[in-house]
Amino acid sequence: MSDDAAEPADTRRLPTLGDQPPDQPPDKAPGADDGPTPGAFDDGRTGRWWSARRVPAAVVALVLLGAAGLLLYDVAAVRAHRPAMAWRRWLARQLDTVPLDDPWLLAAAALAVVLGVWLIVLAVTPGLRQVLPMRPAAPGVRAGLDRAAAALVLRDRAMEVAGVQSVRMTVGRRRAKAHAVSHFRALDEVRADLDTALGDGLRQLGLAHGLALTVHVRRPKKR
């Protein structure tokens, strides 16, 4: 009986590199080509996140449902030899007597056009402007980073630079801006260090689309 077989299962020594079968290659050295790394997968779906827009959709659906139900009830009442509703008779008289260039009629038409354009814009634009798409790490997996969270991470990176007293960081859809206050060191040196630190921070965020970086450094205001 071998020593391994005599040892309990929970105390049996683990196989080492020399115990690997001849047909099994050893672990690759660091830096070797091991296929796609996490975060490097790209399936082409790195567009912006689409908003569900439940509130506008619910409002429009309720308004259309109420208007359609009211009109259908009035039409059914007329078909049953009952008088039409007062609002329908008033609307028919107004349409028969009011000219097309009436200011109130033009205002109502303009309002309807504005509402229609607004609904079309909501339908064809993705929304969720606060979410930045990130590089997909695996097929079928999507991730997004809130712009406020990205600004907070970059602000923490900027505060680690020597000479920086305070930083106001803003992150947009295409650009990140840093407004820093430096109370010692030369401004050019602080700006160069901020460019390096924030540039590395932007790359480590893993965003699908790179952001342009703008850095402004000034001295604190004299009291």
Side-chain angles (χ1 to χ4, degrees):
M1 181 182 295
S2 64
D3 294 339
D4 289 345
E7 294 179 358
D10 55 348
T11 61
R12 185 176 301 172
R13 67 184 182 89
L14 298 176
T16 60
L17 183 62
D19 298 332
Q20 292 180 349
D23 57 345
Q24 181 178 356
D27 296 337
K28 292 187 178 181
D33 185 10
D34 215 7
T37 57
F41 180 82
D42 188 2
D43 60 357
R45 300 191 304 176
T46 55
R48 288 175 55 192
W49 290 73
W50 281 75
S51 172
R53 293 192 174 95
R54 296 181 176 87
V55 174
V59 171
V60 173
L62 290 176
V63 170
L64 293 179
L65 180 63
L70 188 62
L71 182 60
L72 181 61
Y73 174 81
D74 191 54
V75 171
V78 172
R79 291 291 184 179
H81 305 290
R82 294 184 179 180
M85 291 185 176
W87 66 268
R88 190 177 175 191
R89 297 195 301 268
W90 175 85
L91 181 60
R93 287 195 303 270
Q94 294 298 321
L95 293 176
D96 187 40
T97 58
V98 176
L100 295 179
D101 57 352
D102 184 77
W104 289 102
L105 187 60
L106 295 177
L111 179 61
V113 170
V114 170
L115 290 177
V117 171
W118 177 63
L119 292 175
I120 292 175
V121 170
L122 290 180
V124 301
T125 54
L128 290 181
R129 299 173 62 89
Q130 295 298 323
V131 180
L132 298 173
M134 302 178 67
R135 290 192 300 268
V141 177
R142 292 193 64 195
L145 180 62
D146 188 79
R147 282 161 49 181
L152 183 60
V153 172
L154 295 176
R155 177 186 175 277
D156 292 342
R157 293 292 297 266
M159 290 299 296
E160 297 176 357
V161 176
V164 175
Q165 183 180 17
S166 62
V167 180
R168 181 169 56 87
M169 198 79 205
T170 57
V171 176
R173 289 173 51 200
R174 297 181 178 87
R175 182 177 298 275
K177 297 181 181 180
H179 298 269
V181 176
S182 176
H183 57 301
F184 70 93
R185 295 183 66 196
L187 295 182
D188 292 339
E189 296 179 0
V190 176
R191 185 181 297 107
D193 291 346
L194 283 174
D195 285 334
T196 302
L198 294 178
D200 293 340
L202 283 174
R203 286 188 291 271
Q204 293 175 4
L205 290 179
L207 300 178
H209 308 289
L211 302 179
L213 178 62
T214 303
V215 178
H216 300 282
V217 184
R218 63 175 177 85
R219 292 295 185 194
K221 296 181 180 179
K222 296 182 180 180
R223 297 180 180 179

